[in-house]
PDB file of all heavy atoms in Angstrom:
ATOM      1  N   TYR A 312     -14.821 108.992 -94.942  1.00  0.00           N
ATOM      2  CA  TYR A 312     -14.594 107.838 -95.686  1.00  0.00           C
ATOM      3  C   TYR A 312     -14.634 108.181 -97.229  1.00  0.00           C
ATOM      4  O   TYR A 312     -13.852 107.556 -97.963  1.00  0.00           O
ATOM      5  CB  TYR A 312     -15.646 106.761 -95.315  1.00  0.00           C
ATOM      6  CG  TYR A 312     -15.743 106.662 -93.814  1.00  0.00           C
ATOM      7  CD1 TYR A 312     -16.931 107.057 -93.195  1.00  0.00           C
ATOM      8  CD2 TYR A 312     -14.704 106.175 -93.051  1.00  0.00           C
ATOM      9  CE1 TYR A 312     -17.027 107.018 -91.771  1.00  0.00           C
ATOM     10  CE2 TYR A 312     -14.909 106.104 -91.609  1.00  0.00           C
ATOM     11  CZ  TYR A 312     -16.027 106.507 -91.045  1.00  0.00           C
ATOM     12  OH  TYR A 312     -16.076 106.460 -89.702  1.00  0.00           O
ATOM     13  N   ARG A 313     -15.579 109.012 -97.531  1.00  0.00           N
ATOM     14  CA  ARG A 313     -15.767 109.406 -98.979  1.00  0.00           C
ATOM     15  C   ARG A 313     -14.491 109.919 -99.620  1.00  0.00           C
ATOM     16  O   ARG A 313     -14.084 109.526-100.656  1.00  0.00           O
ATOM     17  CB  ARG A 313     -17.022 110.251 -99.136  1.00  0.00           C
ATOM     18  CG  ARG A 313     -17.352 110.484-100.524  1.00  0.00           C
ATOM     19  CD  ARG A 313     -18.680 111.332-100.537  1.00  0.00           C
ATOM     20  NE  ARG A 313     -19.050 111.598-101.900  1.00  0.00           N
ATOM     21  CZ  ARG A 313     -18.463 112.625-102.678  1.00  0.00           C
ATOM     22  NH1 ARG A 313     -17.614 113.453-102.131  1.00  0.00           N
ATOM     23  NH2 ARG A 313     -18.877 112.788-103.928  1.00  0.00           N
ATOM     24  N   SER A 314     -14.004 110.824 -98.810  1.00  0.00           N
ATOM     25  CA  SER A 314     -12.745 111.570 -99.470  1.00  0.00           C
ATOM     26  C   SER A 314     -11.525 110.583 -99.437  1.00  0.00           C
ATOM     27  O   SER A 314     -10.743 110.629-100.299  1.00  0.00           O
ATOM     28  CB  SER A 314     -12.364 112.739 -98.506  1.00  0.00           C
ATOM     29  OG  SER A 314     -13.388 113.702 -98.575  1.00  0.00           O
ATOM     30  N   ARG A 315     -11.489 109.671 -98.483  1.00  0.00           N
ATOM     31  CA  ARG A 315     -10.351 108.699 -98.425  1.00  0.00           C
ATOM     32  C   ARG A 315     -10.522 107.814 -99.681  1.00  0.00           C
ATOM     33  O   ARG A 315      -9.492 107.605-100.418  1.00  0.00           O
ATOM     34  CB  ARG A 315     -10.456 107.865 -97.164  1.00  0.00           C
ATOM     35  CG  ARG A 315     -10.075 108.699 -95.793  1.00  0.00           C
ATOM     36  CD  ARG A 315     -10.107 107.739 -94.699  1.00  0.00           C
ATOM     37  NE  ARG A 315      -9.951 108.554 -93.461  1.00  0.00           N
ATOM     38  CZ  ARG A 315     -10.349 108.109 -92.211  1.00  0.00           C
ATOM     39  NH1 ARG A 315     -10.848 106.926 -92.127  1.00  0.00           N
ATOM     40  NH2 ARG A 315     -10.123 108.844 -91.174  1.00  0.00           N
ATOM     41  N   ARG A 316     -11.650 107.337 -99.953  1.00  0.00           N
ATOM     42  CA  ARG A 316     -11.939 106.525-101.085  1.00  0.00           C
ATOM     43  C   ARG A 316     -11.548 107.134-102.342  1.00  0.00           C
ATOM     44  O   ARG A 316     -10.829 106.708-103.256  1.00  0.00           O
ATOM     45  CB  ARG A 316     -13.302 106.002-101.108  1.00  0.00           C
ATOM     46  CG  ARG A 316     -13.552 104.953-102.193  1.00  0.00           C
ATOM     47  CD  ARG A 316     -14.922 104.569-102.337  1.00  0.00           C
ATOM     48  NE  ARG A 316     -15.079 103.781-103.557  1.00  0.00           N
ATOM     49  CZ  ARG A 316     -16.208 103.550-104.174  1.00  0.00           C
ATOM     50  NH1 ARG A 316     -17.327 104.084-103.743  1.00  0.00           N
ATOM     51  NH2 ARG A 316     -16.244 102.781-105.244  1.00  0.00           N
ATOM     52  N   PHE A 317     -11.979 108.382-102.510  1.00  0.00           N
ATOM     53  CA  PHE A 317     -11.748 109.207-103.628  1.00  0.00           C
ATOM     54  C   PHE A 317     -10.225 109.373-103.867  1.00  0.00           C
ATOM     55  O   PHE A 317      -9.709 109.191-105.017  1.00  0.00           O
ATOM     56  CB  PHE A 317     -12.464 110.590-103.528  1.00  0.00           C
ATOM     57  CG  PHE A 317     -12.299 111.493-104.685  1.00  0.00           C
ATOM     58  CD1 PHE A 317     -13.017 111.318-105.829  1.00  0.00           C
ATOM     59  CD2 PHE A 317     -11.311 112.454-104.657  1.00  0.00           C
ATOM     60  CE1 PHE A 317     -12.846 112.202-106.960  1.00  0.00           C
ATOM     61  CE2 PHE A 317     -11.137 113.323-105.786  1.00  0.00           C
ATOM     62  CZ  PHE A 317     -11.886 113.197-106.894  1.00  0.00           C
ATOM     63  N   LYS A 318      -9.519 109.766-102.892  1.00  0.00           N
ATOM     64  CA  LYS A 318      -8.148 110.013-102.900  1.00  0.00           C
ATOM     65  C   LYS A 318      -7.414 108.809-103.322  1.00  0.00           C
ATOM     66  O   LYS A 318      -6.402 108.835-104.148  1.00  0.00           O
ATOM     67  CB  LYS A 318      -7.608 110.581-101.534  1.00  0.00           C
ATOM     68  CG  LYS A 318      -6.063 110.857-101.505  1.00  0.00           C
ATOM     69  CD  LYS A 318      -5.641 111.521-100.336  1.00  0.00           C
ATOM     70  CE  LYS A 318      -4.166 112.096-100.512  1.00  0.00           C
ATOM     71  NZ  LYS A 318      -3.248 111.174-100.905  1.00  0.00           N
ATOM     72  N   CYS A 319      -7.820 107.602-102.736  1.00  0.00           N
ATOM     73  CA  CYS A 319      -7.161 106.408-103.107  1.00  0.00           C
ATOM     74  C   CYS A 319      -7.207 106.155-104.701  1.00  0.00           C
ATOM     75  O   CYS A 319      -6.222 105.836-105.367  1.00  0.00           O
ATOM     76  CB  CYS A 319      -7.764 105.249-102.306  1.00  0.00           C
ATOM     77  SG  CYS A 319      -7.302 103.594-102.770  1.00  0.00           S
ATOM     78  N   GLY A 320      -8.377 106.277-105.187  1.00  0.00           N
ATOM     79  CA  GLY A 320      -8.610 106.194-106.634  1.00  0.00           C
ATOM     80  C   GLY A 320      -7.680 107.207-107.414  1.00  0.00           C
ATOM     81  O   GLY A 320      -7.031 106.758-108.437  1.00  0.00           O
ATOM     82  N   GLU A 321      -7.811 108.450-107.012  1.00  0.00           N
ATOM     83  CA  GLU A 321      -7.066 109.419-107.643  1.00  0.00           C
ATOM     84  C   GLU A 321      -5.594 109.239-107.699  1.00  0.00           C
ATOM     85  O   GLU A 321      -4.935 109.269-108.779  1.00  0.00           O
ATOM     86  CB  GLU A 321      -7.371 110.769-107.147  1.00  0.00           C
ATOM     87  CG  GLU A 321      -8.826 111.297-107.364  1.00  0.00           C
ATOM     88  CD  GLU A 321      -9.121 111.380-108.783  1.00  0.00           C
ATOM     89  OE1 GLU A 321      -8.457 112.050-109.591  1.00  0.00           O
ATOM     90  OE2 GLU A 321     -10.109 110.730-109.175  1.00  0.00           O
ATOM     91  N   ASP A 322      -5.076 108.815-106.583  1.00  0.00           N
ATOM     92  CA  ASP A 322      -3.632 108.515-106.518  1.00  0.00           C
ATOM     93  C   ASP A 322      -3.232 107.358-107.286  1.00  0.00           C
ATOM     94  O   ASP A 322      -2.136 107.372-107.937  1.00  0.00           O
ATOM     95  CB  ASP A 322      -3.253 108.337-105.003  1.00  0.00           C
ATOM     96  CG  ASP A 322      -3.270 109.551-104.072  1.00  0.00           C
ATOM     97  OD1 ASP A 322      -3.530 110.711-104.688  1.00  0.00           O
ATOM     98  OD2 ASP A 322      -3.159 109.405-102.878  1.00  0.00           O
ATOM     99  N   LEU A 323      -4.071 106.378-107.343  1.00  0.00           N
ATOM    100  CA  LEU A 323      -3.740 105.105-108.086  1.00  0.00           C
ATOM    101  C   LEU A 323      -3.673 105.584-109.618  1.00  0.00           C
ATOM    102  O   LEU A 323      -2.679 105.229-110.232  1.00  0.00           O
ATOM    103  CB  LEU A 323      -4.854 104.053-107.962  1.00  0.00           C
ATOM    104  CG  LEU A 323      -4.650 102.732-108.678  1.00  0.00           C
ATOM    105  CD1 LEU A 323      -5.410 101.663-107.745  1.00  0.00           C
ATOM    106  CD2 LEU A 323      -5.153 102.691-110.073  1.00  0.00           C
ATOM    107  N   TYR A 324      -4.644 106.270-110.036  1.00  0.00           N
ATOM    108  CA  TYR A 324      -4.641 106.599-111.550  1.00  0.00           C
ATOM    109  C   TYR A 324      -3.516 107.542-111.843  1.00  0.00           C
ATOM    110  O   TYR A 324      -2.844 107.527-112.935  1.00  0.00           O
ATOM    111  CB  TYR A 324      -5.941 107.042-112.053  1.00  0.00           C
ATOM    112  CG  TYR A 324      -7.005 105.914-112.042  1.00  0.00           C
ATOM    113  CD1 TYR A 324      -8.101 106.053-111.183  1.00  0.00           C
ATOM    114  CD2 TYR A 324      -6.900 104.905-112.828  1.00  0.00           C
ATOM    115  CE1 TYR A 324      -9.064 104.974-111.102  1.00  0.00           C
ATOM    116  CE2 TYR A 324      -7.794 103.844-112.751  1.00  0.00           C
ATOM    117  CZ  TYR A 324      -8.906 103.927-111.975  1.00  0.00           C
ATOM    118  OH  TYR A 324      -9.780 102.814-111.895  1.00  0.00           O
ATOM    119  N   ALA A 325      -3.240 108.510-110.860  1.00  0.00           N
ATOM    120  CA  ALA A 325      -2.150 109.493-111.186  1.00  0.00           C
ATOM    121  C   ALA A 325      -0.791 108.605-111.248  1.00  0.00           C
ATOM    122  O   ALA A 325       0.060 109.081-112.086  1.00  0.00           O
ATOM    123  CB  ALA A 325      -2.126 110.423-110.004  1.00  0.00           C
ATOM    124  N   ALA A 326      -0.581 107.657-110.399  1.00  0.00           N
ATOM    125  CA  ALA A 326       0.663 106.970-110.491  1.00  0.00           C
ATOM    126  C   ALA A 326       0.951 106.256-111.805  1.00  0.00           C
ATOM    127  O   ALA A 326       2.070 106.114-112.171  1.00  0.00           O
ATOM    128  CB  ALA A 326       0.605 105.783-109.294  1.00  0.00           C
ATOM    129  N   ILE A 327      -0.076 106.020-112.603  1.00  0.00           N
ATOM    130  CA  ILE A 327       0.128 105.410-113.855  1.00  0.00           C
ATOM    131  C   ILE A 327      -0.322 106.330-115.058  1.00  0.00           C
ATOM    132  O   ILE A 327      -0.467 106.004-116.167  1.00  0.00           O
ATOM    133  CB  ILE A 327      -0.580 104.087-114.035  1.00  0.00           C
ATOM    134  CG1 ILE A 327      -2.106 104.180-113.634  1.00  0.00           C
ATOM    135  CG2 ILE A 327       0.049 102.937-113.216  1.00  0.00           C
ATOM    136  CD1 ILE A 327      -2.908 102.951-113.872  1.00  0.00           C
ATOM    137  N   GLY A 328      -0.382 107.658-114.566  1.00  0.00           N
ATOM    138  CA  GLY A 328      -0.531 108.684-115.669  1.00  0.00           C
ATOM    139  C   GLY A 328      -1.861 108.668-116.348  1.00  0.00           C
ATOM    140  O   GLY A 328      -1.978 109.117-117.525  1.00  0.00           O
ATOM    141  N   ILE A 329      -2.973 108.167-115.725  1.00  0.00           N
ATOM    142  CA  ILE A 329      -4.268 108.224-116.339  1.00  0.00           C
ATOM    143  C   ILE A 329      -5.033 109.417-115.773  1.00  0.00           C
ATOM    144  O   ILE A 329      -5.372 109.496-114.610  1.00  0.00           O
ATOM    145  CB  ILE A 329      -5.032 106.928-116.078  1.00  0.00           C
ATOM    146  CG1 ILE A 329      -4.369 105.767-116.654  1.00  0.00           C
ATOM    147  CG2 ILE A 329      -6.464 107.078-116.719  1.00  0.00           C
ATOM    148  CD1 ILE A 329      -5.011 104.379-116.403  1.00  0.00           C
ATOM    149  N   PRO A 330      -5.398 110.435-116.627  1.00  0.00           N
ATOM    150  CA  PRO A 330      -6.128 111.477-116.032  1.00  0.00           C
ATOM    151  C   PRO A 330      -7.538 111.300-115.758  1.00  0.00           C
ATOM    152  O   PRO A 330      -8.121 110.311-116.289  1.00  0.00           O
ATOM    153  CB  PRO A 330      -5.874 112.598-117.218  1.00  0.00           C
ATOM    154  CG  PRO A 330      -5.704 111.815-118.497  1.00  0.00           C
ATOM    155  CD  PRO A 330      -5.085 110.496-118.089  1.00  0.00           C
ATOM    156  N   ARG A 331      -8.091 112.146-114.989  1.00  0.00           N
ATOM    157  CA  ARG A 331      -9.428 112.027-114.527  1.00  0.00           C
ATOM    158  C   ARG A 331     -10.529 111.822-115.698  1.00  0.00           C
ATOM    159  O   ARG A 331     -11.343 111.097-115.626  1.00  0.00           O
ATOM    160  CB  ARG A 331      -9.909 113.280-113.764  1.00  0.00           C
ATOM    161  CG  ARG A 331     -10.818 113.107-112.755  1.00  0.00           C
ATOM    162  CD  ARG A 331     -11.016 114.174-111.770  1.00  0.00           C
ATOM    163  NE  ARG A 331     -12.336 114.196-111.252  1.00  0.00           N
ATOM    164  CZ  ARG A 331     -12.898 113.094-110.757  1.00  0.00           C
ATOM    165  NH1 ARG A 331     -12.301 111.931-110.671  1.00  0.00           N
ATOM    166  NH2 ARG A 331     -14.135 113.244-110.222  1.00  0.00           N
ATOM    167  N   GLU A 332     -10.279 112.575-116.782  1.00  0.00           N
ATOM    168  CA  GLU A 332     -11.220 112.525-117.860  1.00  0.00           C
ATOM    169  C   GLU A 332     -11.125 111.365-118.737  1.00  0.00           C
ATOM    170  O   GLU A 332     -12.094 110.927-119.419  1.00  0.00           O
ATOM    171  CB  GLU A 332     -10.992 113.752-118.892  1.00  0.00           C
ATOM    172  CG  GLU A 332     -10.501 115.146-118.421  1.00  0.00           C
ATOM    173  CD  GLU A 332      -9.145 115.100-117.746  1.00  0.00           C
ATOM    174  OE1 GLU A 332      -8.145 115.169-118.474  1.00  0.00           O
ATOM    175  OE2 GLU A 332      -9.138 115.143-116.484  1.00  0.00           O
ATOM    176  N   ASP A 333     -10.067 110.671-118.650  1.00  0.00           N
ATOM    177  CA  ASP A 333      -9.884 109.364-119.484  1.00  0.00           C
ATOM    178  C   ASP A 333     -10.575 108.171-118.904  1.00  0.00           C
ATOM    179  O   ASP A 333      -9.973 107.305-118.437  1.00  0.00           O
ATOM    180  CB  ASP A 333      -8.336 109.164-119.687  1.00  0.00           C
ATOM    181  CG  ASP A 333      -8.169 108.186-120.938  1.00  0.00           C
ATOM    182  OD1 ASP A 333      -9.177 107.685-121.406  1.00  0.00           O
ATOM    183  OD2 ASP A 333      -7.044 108.083-121.317  1.00  0.00           O
ATOM    184  N   LYS A 334     -11.930 108.223-119.000  1.00  0.00           N
ATOM    185  CA  LYS A 334     -12.743 107.148-118.419  1.00  0.00           C
ATOM    186  C   LYS A 334     -12.377 105.805-119.028  1.00  0.00           C
ATOM    187  O   LYS A 334     -12.250 104.754-118.396  1.00  0.00           O
ATOM    188  CB  LYS A 334     -14.159 107.416-118.574  1.00  0.00           C
ATOM    189  CG  LYS A 334     -14.729 108.603-117.788  1.00  0.00           C
ATOM    190  CD  LYS A 334     -15.034 108.162-116.323  1.00  0.00           C
ATOM    191  CE  LYS A 334     -15.643 109.358-115.546  1.00  0.00           C
ATOM    192  NZ  LYS A 334     -14.718 110.298-114.971  1.00  0.00           N
ATOM    193  N   PRO A 335     -12.177 105.706-120.403  1.00  0.00           N
ATOM    194  CA  PRO A 335     -11.916 104.443-121.047  1.00  0.00           C
ATOM    195  C   PRO A 335     -10.583 103.802-120.409  1.00  0.00           C
ATOM    196  O   PRO A 335     -10.530 102.521-120.216  1.00  0.00           O
ATOM    197  CB  PRO A 335     -11.711 104.658-122.512  1.00  0.00           C
ATOM    198  CG  PRO A 335     -12.500 105.884-122.698  1.00  0.00           C
ATOM    199  CD  PRO A 335     -12.467 106.728-121.463  1.00  0.00           C
TER     200      PRO A 335
END
Side-chain angles (χ1 to χ4, degrees):
Y312 315 109
R313 187 171 178 279
S314 296
R315 289 178 187 164
R316 185 185 173 204
F317 181 79
K318 181 171 191 304
C319 172
E321 291 303 303
D322 288 353
L323 185 153
Y324 292 116
I327 50 175
I329 299 180
R331 207 167 156 49
E332 322 67 78
D333 196 348
K334 294 273 184 282

